[in-house]
C-alpha cells in the first residue's frame, strides 16, 4: 500500500518545487537596476537573441536616465536575455 502512495508523494513534492521555482523567477524581475538620478548618466539595457548559427546578436536597446544634449531613442525588441551598464554623462 505504501508503494502506491510513494509516486503520488513524489509528484506533490515535484509540483511544490516547481511552484516555488516559478515564484522565485517571477520575483527576480523586481530586482532590476535603478537608473541614475536626473542628469547623472544613463542606464543602458542591451537585449540579445540567438541567430540561425546559435550566436548571440543584439536585437534591441533601451535607455533610462538622462544627460544634457541629444537623447537616444529606444530601439528594437526586448527579450528575457539582456545586459545592462551605467554610463556617466560625458562618457562614450
Amino acid at each position: 500500500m505504501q508503494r502506491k502512495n510513494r509516486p503520488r508523494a513524489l509528484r506533490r513534492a515535484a509540483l511544490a518545487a516547481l511552484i516555488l521555482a516559478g515564484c522565485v523567477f517571477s520575483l527576480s524581475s523586481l530586482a532590476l537596476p535603478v537608473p541614475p538620478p536626473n542628469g547623472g548618466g544613463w542606464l543602458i539595457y542591451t537585449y540579445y537573441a540567438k541567430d540561425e548559427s546559435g550566436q548571440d546578436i543584439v536585437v534591441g536597446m533601451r535607455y533610462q536616465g538622462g544627460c544634457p544634449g541629444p537623447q537616444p531613442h529606444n530601439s528594437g525588441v526586448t527579450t528575457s536575455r539582456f545586459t545592462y551598464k551605467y554610463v556617466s554623462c560625458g562618457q562614450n
Side-chain angles (χ1 to χ4, degrees):
M1 188 126 169
Q2 279 187 339
R3 287 181 182 236
K4 203 174 200 182
N5 291 334
R6 178 178 270 169
R8 191 176 288 169
L10 287 175
R11 274 187 254 152
R12 285 183 184 155
L15 180 62
L18 186 62
I19 290 171
L20 179 63
C23 290
V24 169
F25 180 75
S26 68
L27 291 175
S28 67
S29 66
L30 299 175
L32 292 175
V34 178
N38 291 340
W42 295 103
L43 174 58
I44 304 171
Y45 293 91
T46 306
Y47 295 94
Y48 299 92
K50 299 266 185 197
D51 65 4
E52 299 85 32
S53 63
Q55 299 294 319
D56 284 334
I57 59 169
V58 175
V59 294
M61 294 187 84
R62 190 174 99 207
Y63 302 87
Q64 289 183 329
C67 291
Q71 306 295 307
H73 295 283
N74 297 335
S75 62
V77 296
T78 59
T79 64
S80 59
R81 295 180 48 238
F82 64 91
T83 59
Y84 66 90
K85 67 178 180 177
Y86 290 102
V87 178
S88 301
C89 291
Q91 217 179 353
N92 288 335

Short mmCIF file of all heavy atoms in Angstrom, two decimals, residues 29-65:
data_model
loop_
_atom_site.label_atom_id
_atom_site.label_comp_id
_atom_site.label_asym_id
_atom_site.label_seq_id
_atom_site.Cartn_x
_atom_site.Cartn_y
_atom_site.Cartn_z
N SER A 29 12.45 39.56 -11.38
CA SER A 29 12.33 40.71 -12.27
C SER A 29 12.13 42.00 -11.50
O SER A 29 12.33 43.09 -12.03
CB SER A 29 11.19 40.50 -13.26
OG SER A 29 9.96 40.49 -12.57
N LEU A 30 11.73 41.91 -10.24
CA LEU A 30 11.57 43.11 -9.42
C LEU A 30 12.91 43.67 -8.98
O LEU A 30 12.97 44.79 -8.48
CB LEU A 30 10.70 42.80 -8.20
CG LEU A 30 9.28 42.33 -8.51
CD1 LEU A 30 8.59 41.94 -7.21
CD2 LEU A 30 8.50 43.41 -9.23
N ALA A 31 13.98 42.94 -9.14
CA ALA A 31 15.30 43.36 -8.70
C ALA A 31 16.11 44.00 -9.82
O ALA A 31 17.33 43.92 -9.83
CB ALA A 31 16.05 42.17 -8.12
N LEU A 32 15.46 44.64 -10.76
CA LEU A 32 16.18 45.29 -11.85
C LEU A 32 16.96 46.49 -11.32
O LEU A 32 16.58 47.10 -10.32
CB LEU A 32 15.20 45.74 -12.94
CG LEU A 32 14.53 44.62 -13.72
CD1 LEU A 32 13.49 45.20 -14.66
CD2 LEU A 32 15.54 43.82 -14.49
N PRO A 33 18.04 46.87 -11.99
CA PRO A 33 18.83 48.01 -11.53
C PRO A 33 18.05 49.31 -11.62
O PRO A 33 17.12 49.44 -12.42
CB PRO A 33 20.02 48.02 -12.48
CG PRO A 33 19.60 47.22 -13.65
CD PRO A 33 18.57 46.25 -13.17
N VAL A 34 18.44 50.26 -10.81
CA VAL A 34 17.77 51.56 -10.75
C VAL A 34 18.54 52.55 -11.63
O VAL A 34 19.77 52.61 -11.56
CB VAL A 34 17.75 52.07 -9.29
CG1 VAL A 34 17.12 53.43 -9.19
CG2 VAL A 34 17.04 51.07 -8.41
N PRO A 35 17.84 53.36 -12.46
CA PRO A 35 18.55 54.33 -13.29
C PRO A 35 19.22 55.40 -12.44
O PRO A 35 18.81 55.66 -11.32
CB PRO A 35 17.45 54.93 -14.17
CG PRO A 35 16.18 54.61 -13.49
CD PRO A 35 16.41 53.39 -12.67
N PRO A 36 20.28 56.02 -12.97
CA PRO A 36 20.95 57.09 -12.24
C PRO A 36 19.98 58.25 -11.98
O PRO A 36 19.02 58.44 -12.72
CB PRO A 36 22.07 57.54 -13.17
CG PRO A 36 22.18 56.50 -14.21
CD PRO A 36 20.88 55.77 -14.26
N PRO A 37 20.24 59.06 -10.94
CA PRO A 37 19.39 60.22 -10.70
C PRO A 37 19.44 61.20 -11.87
O PRO A 37 20.34 61.13 -12.70
CB PRO A 37 19.96 60.85 -9.43
CG PRO A 37 21.16 60.08 -9.06
CD PRO A 37 21.31 58.92 -9.98
N ASN A 38 18.48 62.12 -11.94
CA ASN A 38 18.40 63.09 -13.04
C ASN A 38 19.75 63.73 -13.33
O ASN A 38 20.38 64.27 -12.44
CB ASN A 38 17.37 64.18 -12.72
CG ASN A 38 15.96 63.62 -12.71
OD1 ASN A 38 15.71 62.57 -13.28
ND2 ASN A 38 15.07 64.33 -12.06
N GLY A 39 20.13 63.68 -14.58
CA GLY A 39 21.39 64.30 -15.00
C GLY A 39 22.62 63.53 -14.59
O GLY A 39 23.73 63.99 -14.79
N GLY A 40 22.46 62.33 -14.03
CA GLY A 40 23.61 61.58 -13.54
C GLY A 40 24.18 60.60 -14.53
O GLY A 40 25.23 60.02 -14.30
N GLY A 41 23.52 60.36 -15.64
CA GLY A 41 24.02 59.41 -16.63
C GLY A 41 22.92 58.54 -17.17
O GLY A 41 21.73 58.84 -17.05
N TRP A 42 23.33 57.44 -17.77
CA TRP A 42 22.41 56.53 -18.44
C TRP A 42 22.53 55.14 -17.86
O TRP A 42 23.60 54.69 -17.50
CB TRP A 42 22.72 56.45 -19.94
CG TRP A 42 22.52 57.71 -20.67
CD1 TRP A 42 23.48 58.57 -21.09
CD2 TRP A 42 21.28 58.26 -21.09
NE1 TRP A 42 22.91 59.64 -21.73
CE2 TRP A 42 21.56 59.47 -21.75
CE3 TRP A 42 19.96 57.87 -20.97
CZ2 TRP A 42 20.58 60.27 -22.29
CZ3 TRP A 42 18.98 58.67 -21.51
CH2 TRP A 42 19.29 59.86 -22.16
N LEU A 43 21.42 54.45 -17.83
CA LEU A 43 21.37 53.01 -17.60
C LEU A 43 20.97 52.43 -18.95
O LEU A 43 19.88 52.71 -19.45
CB LEU A 43 20.35 52.65 -16.53
CG LEU A 43 20.10 51.18 -16.27
CD1 LEU A 43 21.39 50.45 -15.90
CD2 LEU A 43 19.06 51.00 -15.20
N ILE A 44 21.86 51.66 -19.55
CA ILE A 44 21.64 51.16 -20.91
C ILE A 44 21.43 49.65 -20.87
O ILE A 44 22.29 48.90 -20.42
CB ILE A 44 22.83 51.49 -21.83
CG1 ILE A 44 23.08 52.99 -21.83
CG2 ILE A 44 22.58 50.97 -23.24
CD1 ILE A 44 24.36 53.40 -22.53
N TYR A 45 20.26 49.20 -21.34
CA TYR A 45 19.96 47.78 -21.47
C TYR A 45 20.24 47.37 -22.91
O TYR A 45 19.82 48.05 -23.85
CB TYR A 45 18.48 47.50 -21.19
CG TYR A 45 18.05 47.73 -19.77
CD1 TYR A 45 17.56 48.95 -19.35
CD2 TYR A 45 18.13 46.69 -18.85
CE1 TYR A 45 17.14 49.14 -18.04
CE2 TYR A 45 17.71 46.87 -17.54
CZ TYR A 45 17.22 48.10 -17.14
OH TYR A 45 16.81 48.29 -15.87
N THR A 46 20.90 46.25 -23.10
CA THR A 46 21.13 45.67 -24.42
C THR A 46 20.49 44.29 -24.44
O THR A 46 20.81 43.45 -23.59
CB THR A 46 22.63 45.57 -24.73
OG1 THR A 46 23.24 46.85 -24.55
CG2 THR A 46 22.87 45.08 -26.14
N TYR A 47 19.57 44.07 -25.38
CA TYR A 47 18.81 42.82 -25.45
C TYR A 47 19.38 41.91 -26.55
O TYR A 47 19.75 42.38 -27.62
CB TYR A 47 17.34 43.12 -25.74
CG TYR A 47 16.70 43.87 -24.60
CD1 TYR A 47 16.64 45.26 -24.61
CD2 TYR A 47 16.18 43.21 -23.51
CE1 TYR A 47 16.08 45.95 -23.56
CE2 TYR A 47 15.61 43.89 -22.46
CZ TYR A 47 15.56 45.27 -22.49
OH TYR A 47 15.01 45.95 -21.44
N TYR A 48 19.41 40.61 -26.25
CA TYR A 48 20.03 39.64 -27.16
C TYR A 48 19.06 38.53 -27.55
O TYR A 48 18.13 38.22 -26.82
CB TYR A 48 21.24 38.98 -26.48
CG TYR A 48 22.31 39.96 -26.09
CD1 TYR A 48 22.33 40.54 -24.83
CD2 TYR A 48 23.31 40.31 -26.99
CE1 TYR A 48 23.31 41.45 -24.47
CE2 TYR A 48 24.30 41.22 -26.64
CZ TYR A 48 24.28 41.77 -25.38
OH TYR A 48 25.25 42.67 -25.03
N ALA A 49 19.35 37.92 -28.71
CA ALA A 49 18.66 36.72 -29.18
C ALA A 49 19.69 35.89 -29.94
O ALA A 49 20.78 36.37 -30.26
CB ALA A 49 17.49 37.08 -30.09
N LYS A 50 19.37 34.65 -30.21
CA LYS A 50 20.26 33.76 -30.96
C LYS A 50 19.90 33.83 -32.44
O LYS A 50 18.73 33.86 -32.80
CB LYS A 50 20.11 32.32 -30.49
CG LYS A 50 20.46 32.10 -29.04
CD LYS A 50 21.87 31.68 -28.91
CE LYS A 50 22.15 31.36 -27.43
NZ LYS A 50 23.53 31.33 -27.13
N ASP A 51 20.93 33.87 -33.30
CA ASP A 51 20.66 33.81 -34.74
C ASP A 51 20.64 32.35 -35.19
O ASP A 51 20.69 31.44 -34.36
CB ASP A 51 21.67 34.66 -35.53
CG ASP A 51 23.10 34.12 -35.45
OD1 ASP A 51 23.31 33.05 -34.83
OD2 ASP A 51 23.99 34.77 -35.99
N GLU A 52 20.56 32.12 -36.50
CA GLU A 52 20.44 30.76 -37.02
C GLU A 52 21.62 29.88 -36.64
O GLU A 52 21.49 28.67 -36.48
CB GLU A 52 20.32 30.78 -38.56
CG GLU A 52 19.11 31.51 -39.09
CD GLU A 52 19.38 33.01 -39.21
OE1 GLU A 52 20.53 33.42 -39.48
OE2 GLU A 52 18.43 33.78 -39.01
N SER A 53 22.81 30.47 -36.51
CA SER A 53 24.00 29.69 -36.18
C SER A 53 24.20 29.54 -34.68
O SER A 53 25.19 28.96 -34.24
CB SER A 53 25.23 30.33 -36.82
OG SER A 53 25.45 31.62 -36.28
N GLY A 54 23.29 30.10 -33.87
CA GLY A 54 23.40 29.97 -32.42
C GLY A 54 24.21 31.06 -31.75
O GLY A 54 24.46 31.00 -30.55
N GLN A 55 24.63 32.06 -32.52
CA GLN A 55 25.41 33.17 -31.95
C GLN A 55 24.48 34.22 -31.37
O GLN A 55 23.39 34.46 -31.89
CB GLN A 55 26.27 33.81 -33.06
CG GLN A 55 27.28 32.87 -33.68
CD GLN A 55 28.35 32.46 -32.68
OE1 GLN A 55 28.83 33.27 -31.91
NE2 GLN A 55 28.70 31.19 -32.70
N ASP A 56 24.93 34.89 -30.31
CA ASP A 56 24.15 35.99 -29.73
C ASP A 56 24.23 37.21 -30.64
O ASP A 56 25.33 37.57 -31.10
CB ASP A 56 24.70 36.37 -28.36
CG ASP A 56 24.30 35.39 -27.27
OD1 ASP A 56 23.27 34.73 -27.44
OD2 ASP A 56 25.01 35.30 -26.27
N ILE A 57 23.09 37.83 -30.88
CA ILE A 57 23.06 39.08 -31.64
C ILE A 57 22.23 40.10 -30.86
O ILE A 57 21.33 39.73 -30.11
CB ILE A 57 22.48 38.89 -33.06
CG1 ILE A 57 21.06 38.33 -33.00
CG2 ILE A 57 23.37 38.01 -33.91
CD1 ILE A 57 20.34 38.37 -34.33
N VAL A 58 22.56 41.37 -31.02
CA VAL A 58 21.82 42.44 -30.36
C VAL A 58 20.53 42.67 -31.14
O VAL A 58 20.55 42.87 -32.35
CB VAL A 58 22.66 43.74 -30.32
CG1 VAL A 58 21.85 44.89 -29.76
CG2 VAL A 58 23.92 43.52 -29.50
N VAL A 59 19.39 42.64 -30.43
CA VAL A 59 18.10 42.84 -31.09
C VAL A 59 17.38 44.08 -30.58
O VAL A 59 16.33 44.45 -31.11
CB VAL A 59 17.19 41.60 -30.94
CG1 VAL A 59 17.77 40.42 -31.70
CG2 VAL A 59 16.95 41.26 -29.49
N GLY A 60 17.92 44.73 -29.54
CA GLY A 60 17.27 45.93 -29.03
C GLY A 60 18.09 46.62 -27.96
O GLY A 60 18.99 46.02 -27.36
N MET A 61 17.78 47.90 -27.74
CA MET A 61 18.43 48.68 -26.69
C MET A 61 17.39 49.60 -26.05
O MET A 61 16.47 50.06 -26.71
CB MET A 61 19.59 49.49 -27.24
CG MET A 61 20.72 48.63 -27.75
SD MET A 61 22.17 49.56 -28.23
CE MET A 61 22.96 49.75 -26.65
N ARG A 62 17.54 49.82 -24.74
CA ARG A 62 16.65 50.71 -24.02
C ARG A 62 17.51 51.58 -23.10
O ARG A 62 18.47 51.11 -22.51
CB ARG A 62 15.67 49.88 -23.19
CG ARG A 62 14.55 50.71 -22.60
CD ARG A 62 13.54 49.84 -21.91
NE ARG A 62 13.85 49.88 -20.50
CZ ARG A 62 13.57 48.93 -19.63
NH1 ARG A 62 12.99 47.84 -20.03
NH2 ARG A 62 13.87 49.07 -18.37
N TYR A 63 17.14 52.85 -23.01
CA TYR A 63 17.90 53.81 -22.23
C TYR A 63 17.03 54.39 -21.12
O TYR A 63 15.89 54.74 -21.36
CB TYR A 63 18.39 54.96 -23.12
CG TYR A 63 19.23 54.50 -24.28
CD1 TYR A 63 18.64 54.12 -25.48
CD2 TYR A 63 20.60 54.42 -24.17
CE1 TYR A 63 19.41 53.68 -26.54
CE2 TYR A 63 21.38 53.98 -25.23
CZ TYR A 63 20.78 53.62 -26.41
OH TYR A 63 21.54 53.18 -27.45
N GLN A 64 17.60 54.51 -19.91
CA GLN A 64 16.92 55.18 -18.80
C GLN A 64 17.91 56.17 -18.19
O GLN A 64 19.10 55.91 -18.13
CB GLN A 64 16.49 54.18 -17.73
CG GLN A 64 15.36 53.30 -18.15
CD GLN A 64 14.92 52.38 -17.02
OE1 GLN A 64 15.71 51.99 -16.18
NE2 GLN A 64 13.64 52.04 -17.00
N GLY A 65 17.38 57.27 -17.71
CA GLY A 65 18.23 58.30 -17.11
C GLY A 65 18.24 59.52 -18.01
O GLY A 65 17.27 59.80 -18.71
#
